[in-house]
């Protein structure tokens, strides 16, 4: 039996889905290509099936223990629109603010850990309607965390766990604002 015909494990499928999500976040795949390939990866039986999904993509760059790091010294850190959310996100900003908008993002995990390290900036996190957030692990020396969303985890609902600290800033977690007069 050739290596291409060997059966794959759940871990092999997970590794491939992570590589596909990374390619999507880099703009190498559009949303429909990502969804199609994710479906094929989750039902793949052999290494050949998995390899077929990623041969046109660059080799996966190993992530340090699965954490994606975003940071800025002077500017703002912002993610919004159609982006792939990793399982763990570490965000640091010395003088700028952080805005993470999850409302249109592709979120393959039910629980997402966000670790914030802010010096002079504040963070705003916008969650899709119905999602929950736990901000108990976030400390602010001069500001305070404000969450306008429920914190109790529920089955089948996105739960964002926010930890870290802000020296001179705060944290706001909310749902998207209602748009009036839109046709």
């Amino acid at each position: 039996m050739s290596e291409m015909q060997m059966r794959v494990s759940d871990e092999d499928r997970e590794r491939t889905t992570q590589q596909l999500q990374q390619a999507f976040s880099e703009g190498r795949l559009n949303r429909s290509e990502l969804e199609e390939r994710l479906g094929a990866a989750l039902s793949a039986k052999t290494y050949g099936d998995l390899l077929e999904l990623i041969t046109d993509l660059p080799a996966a760059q190993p992530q340090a223990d699965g954490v994606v790091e975003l940071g800025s010294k002077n500017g703002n850190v912002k993610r919004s629109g159609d982006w792939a959310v990793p399982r763990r996100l570490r965000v640091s900003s010395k003088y700028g603010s952080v805005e993470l908008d999850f409302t249109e993002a592709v979120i393959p995990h039910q629980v997402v850990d966000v670790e914030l390290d802010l010096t002079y900036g504040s963070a705003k996190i916008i969650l899709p309607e119905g999602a929950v957030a736990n901000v108990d692990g976030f400390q602010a020396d001069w500001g305070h965390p404000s969450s306008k969303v429920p914190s109790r985890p529920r089955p089948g609902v996105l739960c964002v766990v926010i930890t870290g600290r802000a020296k001179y800033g705060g944290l706001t977690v909310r749902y998207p604002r209602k748009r009036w007069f839109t046709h």
Side-chain angles (χ1 to χ4, degrees):
M1 179 190 297
S2 82
E3 196 173 285
M4 292 298 181
Q5 295 171 321
M6 280 182 57
R7 301 203 44 105
V8 294
S9 68
D10 288 340
E11 192 175 312
D12 296 324
R13 289 185 198 92
E14 176 67 21
R15 205 173 10 258
T16 301
T17 60
Q18 287 173 355
Q19 189 172 349
L20 291 169
Q21 289 158 355
Q22 180 66 30
F24 172 77
S25 70
E26 294 169 352
R28 297 178 196 281
L29 296 175
N30 65 35
R31 184 184 287 269
S32 64
E33 289 171 321
L34 173 69
E35 290 170 359
E36 182 181 316
R37 290 186 190 199
L38 284 176
L42 294 172
S43 62
K45 303 242 184 290
T46 67
Y47 282 107
D49 296 339
L50 287 179
L51 199 57
E52 201 174 279
L53 301 171
I54 57 173
T55 52
D56 61 341
L57 301 174
Q61 299 300 312
Q63 294 283 345
D65 69 18
V67 178
V68 172
E69 299 197 23
L70 304 173
S72 172
K73 274 196 160 109
N74 300 316
N76 297 332
V77 176
K78 182 174 182 175
R79 289 290 180 277
S80 63
D82 191 350
W83 62 292
V85 178
R87 168 73 183 81
R88 297 179 66 209
L89 191 58
R90 189 176 296 147
V91 185
S92 62
S93 178
K94 192 159 177 88
Y95 295 105
S97 64
V98 172
E99 181 177 328
L100 301 175
D101 185 341
F102 292 90
T103 55
E104 296 176 32
V106 174
I107 309 169
H109 318 283
Q110 187 170 335
V111 177
V112 173
D113 292 318
V114 177
E115 182 185 333
L116 298 170
D117 180 10
L118 310 172
T119 306
Y120 292 100
S122 291
K124 178 168 50 173
I125 297 178
I126 304 165
L127 299 180
E129 291 288 343
V132 299
N134 181 331
V135 299
D136 294 344
F138 182 81
Q139 298 175 342
D141 294 348
W142 287 92
H144 58 86
S146 164
S147 180
K148 296 174 173 59
V149 304
S151 63
R152 185 174 54 85
R154 287 179 287 209
V157 171
L158 171 65
C159 177
V160 178
V161 179
I162 303 162
T163 59
R165 69 179 308 142
K167 199 163 180 74
Y168 297 102
L171 167 67
T172 302
V173 181
R174 64 172 174 81
Y175 293 132
R177 292 214 161 81
K178 300 280 188 258
R179 301 268 191 256
W180 302 102
F181 307 114
T182 55
H183 306 316

